[in-house]
């Protein structure tokens, strides 16, 4: 059974989660991820190791939780005035973030410590929220928009597949992201 923290905004649970996440990031920067242990994280965060084991289960699930938080977008997607421009800019930024060495490590961590798929679902929800914002803006401008799942299937899924399974087969750059968006928006019947 996966132990995912239940966080009450502003409560002790949120403070513990924040201090543990900060401790993980600081220690990772100082000593490297391979040297991390639950006792080291607990000492840095000012909690007992049993608090971490109780809330996260093990180091892998803790690293997964930290990774999911790091994968959360910090800003809403850019509004460049049109669906094609907005979606292309978002896809380029998403691809750059996810294909970076840090992004790949966060993806691995998010998935490795995620036995029930909760973290993968949260990462997917982050992307969907960003895409929904873009689609809502385009709809408000009177543009015809694809369905959210079409964007996921034709833009996000191919990028993630290449990032995870075929990183060296094609350049994972802005041009690749733009081709995916163009293919979606200019496909026959769209």
């Amino acid at each position: 059974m996966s132990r995912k923290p239940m966080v009450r905004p502003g409560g002790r649970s949120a403070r513990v989660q924040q201090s543990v996440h900060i401790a993980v990031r600081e220690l990772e920067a100082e000593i490297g991820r391979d040297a991390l242990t639950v006792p080291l994280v607990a000492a840095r965060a000012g909690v007992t190791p049993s608090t971490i084991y109780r809330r996260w289960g093990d180091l892998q699930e803790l690293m997964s939780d930290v990774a999911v938080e790091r994968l959360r977008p910090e800003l809403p997607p850019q509004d460049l005035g049109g669906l094609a421009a907005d979606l292309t800019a978002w896809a380029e930024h998403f691809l750059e973030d996810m294909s970076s060495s840090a992004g790949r490590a966060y993806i691995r961590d998010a998935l490795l410590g995620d036995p029930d798929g909760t973290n993968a679902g949260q990462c997917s929800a982050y992307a969907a929220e960003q895409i929904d914002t873009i689609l809502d803006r385009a709809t408000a401008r009177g543009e015809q928009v694809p369905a959210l799942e079409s964007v996921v299937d034709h833009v996000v899924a191919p990028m993630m597949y290449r990032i995870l399974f075929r990183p060296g087969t094609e350049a994972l750059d802005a041009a690749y992201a733009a081709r995916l968006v163009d293919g979606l928006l200019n496909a026959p019947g769209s």
Side-chain angles (χ1 to χ4, degrees), residues 33-55:
R33 63 185 304 108
D34 292 339
L36 286 178
T37 65
V38 169
L40 281 173
V41 172
R44 174 67 62 97
V47 300
T48 64
S50 64
T51 297
I52 293 175
Y53 290 122
R54 188 172 47 254
R55 291 175 58 102

Side-chain angles (χ1 to χ4, degrees), residues 73 75-80 82-83 86-87 90 125-141 143 145-146 148 151:
L75 300 170
Q78 287 182 284
D79 186 349
L80 301 173
L83 176 61
D86 291 356
L87 195 54
W90 177 84
Y126 293 155
E129 288 169 11
Q130 296 265 298
I131 295 165
D132 269 339
T133 298
I134 293 167
L135 298 179
D136 289 347
R137 286 181 196 156
T139 299
R141 289 189 293 261
E143 296 180 76
V145 300
L148 168 65
V151 178

Side-chain angles (χ1 to χ4, degrees), residues 18-42:
Q18 181 181 21
S19 67
V20 169
H21 281 216
I22 290 168
V24 167
R25 290 191 303 268
E26 288 175 351
L27 287 166
E28 199 172 14
E30 291 170 19
I31 63 173
R33 63 185 304 108
D34 292 339
L36 286 178
T37 65
V38 169
L40 281 173
V41 172

Side-chain angles (χ1 to χ4, degrees), residues 23-179:
V24 167
R25 290 191 303 268
E26 288 175 351
L27 287 166
E28 199 172 14
E30 291 170 19
I31 63 173
R33 63 185 304 108
D34 292 339
L36 286 178
T37 65
V38 169
L40 281 173
V41 172
R44 174 67 62 97
V47 300
T48 64
S50 64
T51 297
I52 293 175
Y53 290 122
R54 188 172 47 254
R55 291 175 58 102
W56 286 278
D58 60 22
L59 184 61
Q60 195 168 26
E61 286 190 41
L62 171 58
M63 296 298 289
S64 182
D65 192 50
V66 171
V68 170
E69 187 61 32
R70 295 302 298 250
L71 291 170
R72 177 190 309 252
E74 294 177 7
L75 300 170
Q78 287 182 284
D79 186 349
L80 301 173
L83 176 61
D86 291 356
L87 195 54
T88 300
W90 177 84
E92 291 170 354
H93 181 74
F94 180 83
L95 181 61
E96 182 180 330
D97 283 352
M98 295 298 117
S99 65
S100 70
S101 57
R104 289 175 199 258
Y106 293 141
I107 292 167
R108 278 191 307 274
D109 283 345
L111 297 176
L112 283 173
D114 189 26
D116 63 2
T118 302
N119 289 342
Q122 186 58 57
C123 291
S124 176
Y126 293 155
E129 288 169 11
Q130 296 265 298
I131 295 165
D132 269 339
T133 298
I134 293 167
L135 298 179
D136 289 347
R137 286 181 196 156
T139 299
R141 289 189 293 261
E143 296 180 76
Q144 187 164 345
V145 300
L148 168 65
E149 291 306 316
S150 291
V151 178
V152 170
D153 290 346
H154 294 92
V155 178
V156 178
M159 287 193 287
M160 292 305 292
Y161 183 84
R162 291 218 181 256
I163 289 167
L164 292 171
F165 302 113
R166 298 181 58 80
T169 59
E170 183 173 353
L172 295 176
D173 56 14
Y176 174 68
R179 281 194 308 277

